[in-house]
Amino acid sequence: MNLKKCRNKLVGSEEERAVSPVIGVVLMVAITVILAAVIAAFVMDMGDDMGESAPNANFEFEENTSWDFDEAGEGDSVGTLSHDGGDAVDTSNIEIQISGDIDSDIALNSSNDFGDEDKDIKLETDVNDDDDISTGASFDLVNNDTGQGEFDDEDDEYELTIIHESSDSIIFDTEFEL
């Protein structure tokens, strides 16, 4: 019994055992494409988002319809911003911007105690800087000046925007007119 002949029949000769070069190329291209897709997913952050997402909170702004431009004074409320539902919002993580018919935008946040002395505008609330704003909390946007402050012309239009700073997302945006 010649085992070399049996071996050649079972395993095949050296010429018969070779893999086709085309199959090798196809396998290498497939591996390269899969590897490129995995690397692209990490580089382009297409995978799970590890950053903080904006809270899903519902706010409402009600302008003060009795605002009187001739008699406006310190502490007069321009309107009330209230949290009507949804997720609680960390006060240290938001900025409230007011823009419109004013010289420059107003930015109110926890670092300036929600007041802009240069613009004579502030938010009054019972919420502390380290608290979360939860359902039922409200802010009064008040004039912090003995005069009319920034809101000095009738029928001016303004925009109030709440920005979640960690995610750089707008939580609330509204326009109002005095």
Side-chain angles (χ1 to χ4, degrees):
M1 180 167 192
N2 188 355
L3 293 177
K4 287 189 178 188
K5 287 183 182 181
C6 286
R7 185 179 140 257
N8 285 342
K9 287 183 180 183
L10 291 173
V11 177
S13 67
E14 298 221 2
E15 292 174 5
E16 294 172 343
R17 285 188 288 150
V19 174
S20 170
V22 174
I23 294 174
V25 170
V26 169
L27 288 173
M28 288 301 289
V29 168
I31 290 171
T32 304
V33 168
I34 292 170
L35 187 60
V38 169
I39 291 172
F42 284 112
V43 169
M44 294 182 197
D45 196 25
M46 291 170 49
D48 290 329
D49 186 17
M50 296 303 207
E52 188 174 344
S53 61
N56 185 12
N58 299 322
F59 285 91
E60 183 178 323
F61 182 75
E62 186 176 331
E63 47 195 85
N64 183 0
T65 57
S66 63
W67 174 265
D68 186 351
F69 286 91
D70 296 326
E71 297 179 18
E74 185 173 2
D76 287 349
S77 176
V78 174
T80 302
L81 176 67
S82 58
H83 185 287
D84 290 344
D87 297 336
V89 180
D90 183 5
T91 57
S92 65
N93 209 3
I94 62 168
E95 179 173 275
I96 299 171
Q97 293 181 350
I98 303 167
S99 58
D101 292 335
I102 50 179
D103 292 335
S104 61
D105 293 350
I106 299 169
L108 308 172
N109 54 41
S110 63
S111 65
N112 64 12
D113 292 326
F114 292 100
D116 190 339
E117 292 178 13
D118 294 335
K119 297 292 182 181
D120 298 320
I121 299 298
K122 68 179 178 178
L123 288 174
E124 288 184 347
T125 183
D126 293 335
V127 178
N128 296 325
D129 289 344
D130 58 349
D131 285 345
D132 287 343
I133 303 169
S134 56
T135 302
S138 64
F139 294 94
D140 284 326
L141 181 62
V142 298
N143 193 17
N144 196 26
D145 187 14
T146 55
Q148 294 145 330
E150 301 303 315
F151 308 105
D152 57 359
D153 291 324
E154 277 189 85
D155 299 326
D156 280 353
E157 293 181 3
Y158 305 96
E159 182 176 12
L160 186 138
T161 306
I162 302 176
I163 299 172
H164 185 255
E165 292 180 319
S166 295
S167 64
D168 198 27
S169 300
I170 295 175
I171 299 175
F172 176 73
D173 186 38
T174 189
E175 293 179 0
F176 66 98
E177 183 178 307
L178 295 175

